[in-house]
Amino acid sequence: ITQKILSVVYNSMKPLIIVFIISALYLSYQLIRSRRPKHWLIVSSSLSLAVIVSFQFLGGVFLIPTESMYPTIKPGDLVIAQRVGGLFDHRAIRRGDVLVFNAPSVPGVYYVKRVLGIPGDTVTYNEEKIFSINGKQNGNQIKKDGFTTQYQADTDTAGQSYIFQTDNRIGYVKTGKKWIIPEGYYFMAGDNRDHSLDSRYWDNPPGTPRNLRGLIPHDSLVGRVNFRIVNLGFLARGDSGDRSIKQRQQPHQR
């Protein structure tokens, strides 16, 4: 699964909730029996509750194991994601935001990608591997060598820009060519365009209307990536999603 996120906090939520419930029940039992609660019981209950509250209202820390957001986020980067709609997040989702979200059809799996299309946008993708949003090309070429072509794109977020790239050794992969983004949905793409499973390719749950395939609903958004802490490259791993893309690649015609 491309860009599956190993979360220091999020992937431990279910066990933590179980720990909290058991600790809380045992703590209640101790109090009912007029016994002095054990120190470890108070500590485990408090820590579990603190992490659960942080998950719901603040955000989490994520380890990125793959290269689908390179060069913005490198394999092994440890990043902080602020909870979308949490206590300190009061602005709308904008093009250019890097978001953590639930995978379209795999419960419990998280991805990190960049928002290319917001509600009301029309996103197109051509055989030159170029995205356009509302008729305007996404990014201008700034560098090209035998391996990659890099582009710089502006965002709607505080006038910042970002760099993304395509792989010159890889030909165009047949995919959708046009998406009209409805209210409550977003189009996502990786900055390492030829090494990213994203809205171009995703299969949504069975029964999803054709016009919504590949799009991410607002309810699936988890966090907005704001900070990179450190790189733990030794924890990076290969990308099985990238291999699945390569199986569909056509020979480069240029």
Side-chain angles (χ1 to χ4, degrees), residues 111-252:
Y111 287 77
V112 58
K113 304 289 179 186
R114 190 179 297 278
V115 179
L116 283 193
I118 61 175
D121 284 347
T122 296
V123 177
T124 58
Y125 183 66
N126 64 29
E127 295 186 2
E128 300 298 318
K129 301 191 289 186
I130 298 295
F131 280 108
S132 293
I133 295 92
N134 302 324
K136 181 180 179 181
Q137 179 176 316
N138 174 235
N140 297 307
Q141 182 177 320
I142 58 173
K143 180 182 177 182
K144 184 175 183 178
D145 57 32
F147 298 100
T148 61
T149 300
Q150 289 193 337
Y151 300 81
Q152 182 169 320
D154 295 326
T155 77
D156 290 344
T157 307
Q160 298 176 352
S161 62
Y162 63 93
I163 293 174
F164 65 90
Q165 65 183 31
T166 58
D167 192 327
N168 297 331
R169 299 164 295 180
I170 295 175
Y172 170 76
V173 179
K174 187 176 181 180
T175 180
K177 293 185 177 181
K178 183 177 181 179
W179 297 263
I180 299 174
I181 317 301
E183 190 66 32
Y185 286 83
Y186 302 90
F187 186 99
M188 306 289 190
D191 286 353
N192 199 3
R193 296 286 165 80
D194 290 314
H195 299 272
S196 172
L197 279 178
D198 48 42
S199 287
R200 293 171 289 179
Y201 311 108
W202 282 324
D203 293 320
N204 293 67
T208 301
R210 187 176 184 85
N211 67 308
L212 298 180
R213 291 178 187 173
L215 304 183
I216 300 300
H218 190 275
D219 290 346
S220 294
L221 304 183
V222 174
R224 195 189 314 260
V225 176
N226 288 331
F227 304 103
R228 172 185 174 274
I229 304 174
V230 68
N231 182 270
L232 304 174
F234 63 93
L235 293 177
R237 62 169 175 76
D239 194 338
S240 60
D242 180 33
R243 290 194 293 273
S244 71
I245 292 177
K246 288 180 179 178
Q247 292 173 1
R248 293 184 280 180
Q249 285 166 354
Q250 301 172 352
H252 203 345

